[in-house]
């Protein structure tokens, strides 16, 4: 294996969701200067789901015109669009237009929609492209995908986004009759004061644009660097005399280990007991199980739980909220590293780990529902438990996502296309289900980072 190829695959993966992840972590700084205010997250949710028109088009093309659409030109287009959109965002995110008698941040919303199209479409183009490299590099790609959330979060923390300090809301100066110094007497009510950022949102968006440029350069090198070419020179994907219909069969056979290949004829004799999906390794029921788990895991990690993270953590304090968000972002690439060195493809273990992670997700959801007075709200143990619950939730389900990606990689090119499509479908269903609960019906109440009035 080539270290250079691993690095390039990681940098390429970082471009998958870095733009939208960056937008989310920058929200506390953006919402204070636009007319939409804290309604912006609701708009973002709708825009991201509308952007699924990109993955839908790619998936339908692969389904009805297989072999016609080459993902490489599409990747060049969407990454280039991401570079331009993030750069323009740096200069126009504050601009407003009057629509229907009220001000709206039209440039911000339009550019965010374009970035959503870029990132959503990456799910059904980046993964199939990784089919061109050896299987080991797919896990490295998932590491980069995890870093696409971690790196913007760390930069935002350095920027000071969302950091608050608590001070008395009202202060009275009472002159001390017997001393020269005045005494400050507070009302006892604390107010959360957001600290000024160390650098502006414009600089942050330029940083996101640079990240997209890095991803594009990595993609170019993955296509043209001689060291990378040696990593795929034996891959039957590049055999020009293979018809598109046989290409996937060649890929599937090539992905098998030498010990498996003598069993091909034996597997062919039992093919009627297997599904027609991929190379027929799994039965129809097993294929359905894999995709249901994939949709469920992505619904939880990409939409359902992130929409209530602030409700579950803020009652324990601002430090607990930032610590859980940061450590959860770290847990994603850590899970990918674990999967790289300890791959377990057992469907039984996958199901167990999904239930394990779902259990911690249920705890986080329960604490969000109990906000602003969740369990152990006044204790350090409650803070430790909520942070640990978020870490284990992301760690376990991220491992499941990587395992499914590796499994589907061995099933062929179209399997990875469907993998990306199901990822987006699960995320969309999760977002659609949570949007009315959070933004319309207001079933969750936010805790106060400075004032938590709950019974002891």
């Amino acid at each position: 294996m080539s270290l250079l190829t691993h690095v390039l695959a990681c940098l390429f993966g970082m471009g998958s969701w870095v733009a939208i992840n960056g937008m989310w972590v920058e929200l506390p700084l953006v919402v204070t200067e636009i007319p939409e205010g804290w309604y912006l997250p609701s708009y973002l949710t709708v825009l991201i789901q509308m952007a699924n028109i990109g993955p839908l088009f790619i998936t339908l093309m692969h389904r009805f015109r297989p072999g016609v659409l080459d993902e490489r030109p599409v990747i060049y287009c969407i990454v280039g669009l991401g570079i331009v959109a993030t750069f323009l965002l740096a200069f126009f995110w504050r601009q407003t237009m009057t629509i229907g008698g009220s001000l709206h941040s039209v440039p911000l919303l339009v550019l965010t929609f374009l970035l959503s199209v870029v990132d959503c479409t990456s799910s059904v183009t980046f993964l199939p492209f990784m089919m061109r490299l050896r299987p080991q590099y797919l896990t490295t790609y998932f590491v980069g995908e995890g870093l696409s959330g971690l790196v913007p979060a760390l930069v935002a923390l350095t920027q000071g986004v969302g950091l608050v300090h608590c001070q008395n809301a009202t202060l009275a100066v009472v002159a001390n009759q017997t001393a020269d110094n005045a005494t400050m007497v507070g009302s006892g009510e604390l107010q959360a004061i957001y600290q000024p950022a160390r650098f502006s949102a414009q600089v942050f968006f330029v940083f996101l644009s640079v990240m997209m440029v890095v991803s594009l350069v990595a993609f170019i090198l993955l296509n043209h660097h001689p060291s990378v070419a040696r990593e795929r020179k034996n891959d039957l994907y590049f055999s020009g005399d293979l018809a598109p219909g046989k290409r996937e069969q060649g890929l599937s056979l090539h992905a098998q280990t030498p010990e498996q290949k003598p069993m091909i004829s034996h597997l062919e004799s039992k093919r009627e007991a297997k599904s027609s999906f991929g190379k027929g390794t799994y039965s129809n029921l097993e294929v359905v199980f894999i995709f249901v788990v994939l949709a469920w895991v992505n619904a939880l990690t990409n939409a359902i739980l992130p929409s209530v993270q602030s409700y579950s953590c803020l009652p324990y304090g601002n430090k607990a909220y930032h610590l859980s968000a940061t450590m959860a972002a770290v847990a994603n690439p850590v899970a990918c590293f674990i999967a790289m060195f300890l791959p377990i493809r057992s469907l039984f273990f996958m199901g167990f780990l999904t239930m394990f992670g779902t259990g911690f997700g249920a705890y986080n959801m329960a604490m969000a529902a109990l906000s602003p007075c969740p369990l152990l709200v006044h204790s350090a143990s409650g803070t430790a438990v909520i942070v640990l619950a978020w870490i284990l939730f992301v760690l376990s389900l991220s491992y499941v996502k990587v395992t499914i990606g590796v499994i589907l990689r061995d099933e062929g090119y179209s399997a990875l296309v469907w993998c990306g499509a199901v990822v987006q479908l699960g995320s969309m269903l999760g977002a659609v289900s949570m949007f009315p609960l959070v933004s319309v019906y207001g079933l969750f109440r936010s805790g106060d980072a400075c004032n938590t009035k709950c019974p002891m």
Side-chain angles (χ1 to χ4, degrees):
M1 291 186 292
S2 166
L3 177 61
L4 174 63
T5 308
H6 275 296
V7 172
L8 293 177
C10 183
L11 294 176
F12 174 57
M14 287 178 65
S16 57
W17 282 93
V18 70
I20 292 301
N21 287 334
M23 175 61 72
W24 280 110
V25 299
E26 194 70 1
L27 280 179
L29 202 61
V30 171
V31 295
T32 59
E33 300 190 41
I34 60 173
E36 289 78 9
W38 277 107
Y39 286 104
L40 181 61
S42 301
Y43 288 117
L44 289 183
T45 302
V46 174
L47 290 174
I48 292 172
Q49 303 319 311
M50 290 173 59
N52 279 307
I53 187 174
L56 178 62
F57 172 77
I58 299 295
T59 304
L60 291 177
M61 283 293 293
H62 281 292
R63 175 65 180 86
F64 296 107
R65 299 294 299 274
V68 173
L69 185 64
D70 186 348
E71 73 278 356
R72 286 174 296 180
V74 179
I75 293 175
Y76 279 117
C77 290
I78 63 174
V79 176
L81 177 62
I83 294 171
V84 174
T86 48
F87 187 76
L88 292 177
L89 200 59
F91 299 96
F92 296 102
W93 68 273
R94 277 200 189 97
Q95 303 300 316
T96 58
M97 295 177 61
T98 302
I99 299 179
S102 59
L103 289 176
H104 292 280
S105 305
V106 175
L108 174 66
L109 296 176
V110 170
L111 292 172
T112 301
F113 172 72
L114 294 178
L115 291 176
S116 301
V117 172
V118 170
D119 290 2
C120 290
T121 308
S122 72
S123 296
V124 292
T125 52
F126 284 24
L127 275 175
F129 170 78
M130 292 306 297
M131 192 73 191
R132 298 169 179 266
L133 302 175
R134 299 184 190 278
Q136 297 89 338
Y137 297 111
L138 182 62
T139 307
T140 309
Y141 166 84
F142 280 116
V143 172
E145 193 174 84
L147 291 175
S148 72
L150 174 61
V151 173
L154 294 179
V155 174
L157 283 177
T158 304
Q159 184 184 16
V161 170
L163 296 179
V164 302
H165 67 274
C166 302
Q167 71 176 26
N168 286 326
T170 58
L171 292 173
V173 179
V174 179
N176 193 326
Q177 300 293 332
T178 61
D180 295 331
N181 297 327
T183 303
M184 304 295 291
V185 178
S187 66
E189 186 75 15
L190 297 178
Q191 182 180 11
I193 304 298
Y194 283 89
Q195 298 178 4
R198 295 183 178 90
F199 52 87
S200 66
Q202 182 181 41
V203 175
F204 184 83
F205 289 134
V206 171
F207 163 76
L208 293 182
S209 184
V210 172
M211 292 291 295
M212 295 299 295
V213 171
V214 170
S215 179
L216 178 61
V217 172
F219 177 64
I220 293 172
L221 293 177
L222 284 173
N223 278 288
H224 302 290
H225 197 280
S227 177
V228 180
R230 288 194 294 269
E231 291 298 312
R232 61 174 184 248
K233 63 182 180 181
N234 294 324
D235 200 326
L236 293 182
Y237 188 95
F238 294 95
S239 179
D241 56 355
L242 283 179
K246 297 181 180 180
R247 179 181 296 170
E248 188 166 322
Q249 180 182 1
L251 279 170
S252 300
L253 299 182
H254 181 67
Q256 296 177 356
T257 62
E259 291 78 10
Q260 290 175 309
K261 291 179 181 178
M263 299 298 294
I264 293 175
S265 59
H266 178 67
L267 291 174
E268 288 290 338
S269 65
K270 294 187 176 182
R271 183 167 293 276
E272 62 273 6
K274 299 294 183 179
S275 70
S276 58
F277 179 80
K279 63 183 181 183
T281 306
Y282 300 95
S283 66
N284 287 318
L285 185 61
E286 289 171 331
V287 171
V288 171
F289 171 76
I290 290 172
F291 279 118
V292 167
V293 168
L294 182 64
W296 172 251
V297 166
N298 279 278
L300 290 179
T301 57
N302 296 345
I304 295 178
L305 268 301
S307 65
V308 298
Q309 186 170 19
S310 61
Y311 298 102
S312 68
C313 298
L314 272 180
Y316 298 97
N318 190 64
K319 183 178 179 180
Y321 173 63
H322 280 280
L323 191 59
S324 65
T326 304
M327 295 306 296
V330 172
N332 193 322
V334 168
C336 299
F337 275 112
I338 295 174
M340 181 183 299
F341 298 103
L342 189 63
I344 301 176
R345 302 192 186 189
S346 166
L347 297 187
F348 176 81
F349 180 74
M350 182 195 303
F352 167 78
L353 207 56
T354 301
M355 294 173 57
F356 179 79
T358 301
F360 285 105
Y363 177 83
N364 296 331
M365 179 64 74
M367 296 307 101
L370 292 174
S371 177
C373 297
L375 300 177
L376 304 173
V377 67
H378 292 294
S379 66
S381 59
T383 301
V385 169
I386 194 67
V387 172
L388 184 62
W390 272 98
I391 293 173
L392 293 177
F393 163 72
V394 175
L395 186 70
S396 56
L397 296 190
S398 295
Y399 185 94
V400 171
K401 288 194 286 186
V402 176
T403 301
I404 293 177
V406 173
I407 287 175
L408 295 178
R409 195 273 178 204
D410 287 348
E411 293 303 301
Y413 179 88
S414 63
L416 282 183
V417 175
W418 283 107
C419 175
V422 172
V423 165
Q424 291 305 117
L425 176 63
S427 301
M428 180 183 69
L429 293 177
V432 169
S433 63
M434 291 303 296
F435 179 77
L437 300 180
V438 175
S439 302
V440 178
Y441 298 108
L443 297 184
F444 298 91
R445 290 191 301 160
S446 179
D448 192 323
C450 295
N451 300 286
T452 304
K453 297 180 179 179
C454 299
M456 297 293 290

